[in-house]
Amino acid sequence: MTRAVAAFFDLDKTVISKSSTLAFGRPFYQHGLISRSDALRTVACQVVFRLNGANHGQMERIKEWVGALCRGWPVDMVTDIVTRHLDELILPYVYAEARALIAEHREGGQDVIIVSTSGHEVVDPIARLLGADSVIATQMEVAGGRYTGEMKFYAYGEAKASRVRELAAERGYRLEDCYAYSDSATDLPLLQAVGHPHAVNPDRNLRRIATERGWPVLEFSPHSMGQSGESPAKGHAAR
């Protein structure tokens, strides 16, 4: 039976402390998918993202760069690389508070859905690792088993919220009873689509908006990463 309430979690800097799109630069380089300079660029972009997040302009530049970069990559190879490096490159960066909050929603009988601008090839295995019920993510166009560099669906901004509303209509979620979590003001459409929006480690704009609107603000600590996930979140999901 479909649950009537869902919790929608942004991924980067909300559930994990880094950019999932940029996390696999080293193994992509080791397997010959990107050049050394591109690998170094992923490291530099990751540092900036972890310190400051990404605004709309930066997200658009990353979109164009990633689209051009992955053109011609074999889909099966990318899926294999991501799956084999999850424990090394993703698991240590999951906030314990986020893991606990996801478990709390599930124990409360609510679906957990990861909503990310990263591609399905990256997000799907992470979602399985976290025990999420389903995923909304960017879908790359594929031809002959290889990426064309184009995007069939870009899960960003209003597009995230539109897909959430479509999913709610399909599954019977009452959006006024649903929850959403994000760190970025670029996810305002997602947060505004539900009755219980939460700002997690918010950027400056989102913190201001959350304060003005009385939304809960959760602070997840990087010191909790890589632990068992038993630490409680600073703020709790309503049952």
Side-chain angles (χ1 to χ4, degrees):
M1 180 178 179
T2 301
R3 299 160 180 168
V5 177
F8 300 94
F9 285 82
D10 173 52
L11 182 60
D12 300 348
K13 296 200 75 178
T14 301
V15 174
I16 63 176
S17 70
K18 64 195 313 188
S19 165
S20 52
T21 295
L22 301 172
F24 298 92
R26 179 172 53 79
F28 286 163
Y29 167 67
Q30 291 172 337
H31 287 80
L33 292 178
I34 62 176
S35 66
R36 179 177 176 81
S37 62
D38 284 326
L40 292 173
R41 183 176 178 183
T42 65
V43 173
C45 289
Q46 188 70 265
V47 170
V48 172
F49 181 82
R50 290 184 69 177
L51 291 175
N52 302 310
N55 58 32
H56 176 73
Q58 290 166 328
M59 290 296 294
E60 287 299 308
R61 287 192 291 273
I62 290 174
K63 172 190 174 185
E64 296 301 321
W65 178 53
V66 170
L69 195 64
C70 75
R71 187 178 296 118
W73 289 4
V75 176
D76 289 347
M77 178 183 288
V78 173
T79 301
D80 180 63
I81 291 171
V82 170
T83 301
R84 286 195 287 117
H85 290 274
L86 277 179
D87 287 350
E88 171 193 359
L89 298 177
I90 297 297
L91 188 58
Y93 299 93
V94 176
Y95 291 114
E97 296 97 335
R99 188 186 291 275
L101 192 54
I102 288 171
E104 188 174 342
H105 277 291
R106 289 184 56 79
E107 290 166 6
Q110 300 158 5
D111 282 346
V112 170
I113 299 166
I114 302 298
V115 187
S116 176
T117 304
S118 294
H120 273 283
E121 296 77 10
V122 171
V123 182
D124 288 357
I126 297 174
R128 287 193 294 270
L129 184 73
L130 295 169
D133 296 280
S134 55
V135 166
I136 294 171
T138 292
Q139 185 176 2
M140 302 298 295
E141 184 179 85
V142 175
R146 294 177 180 270
Y147 297 112
T148 67
E150 302 297 321
M151 296 181 183
K152 295 178 66 175
F153 173 71
Y154 184 44
Y156 174 73
E158 180 58 40
K160 279 187 177 182
S162 295
R163 191 56 62 90
V164 163
R165 287 189 287 267
E166 291 172 4
L167 193 62
E170 292 171 7
R171 298 186 177 182
Y173 297 140
R174 299 184 302 271
L175 283 177
E176 64 270 23
D177 295 329
C178 289
Y179 299 77
Y181 301 86
S182 178
D183 70 291
S184 175
T186 61
D187 275 336
L188 268 178
L190 167 66
L191 295 169
Q192 292 172 155
V194 303
H196 301 284
H198 292 68
V200 178
N201 295 344
D203 60 29
R204 182 180 302 174
N205 287 338
L206 182 56
R207 185 179 296 276
R208 174 181 54 79
I209 293 168
T211 300
E212 291 172 353
R213 300 185 184 185
W215 293 351
V217 175
L218 308 181
E219 302 288 350
F220 293 171
S221 169
H223 302 297
S224 69
M225 296 184 300
Q227 297 176 358
S228 65
E230 296 176 353
S231 301
K234 297 179 182 177
H236 301 282
R239 301 297 177 88

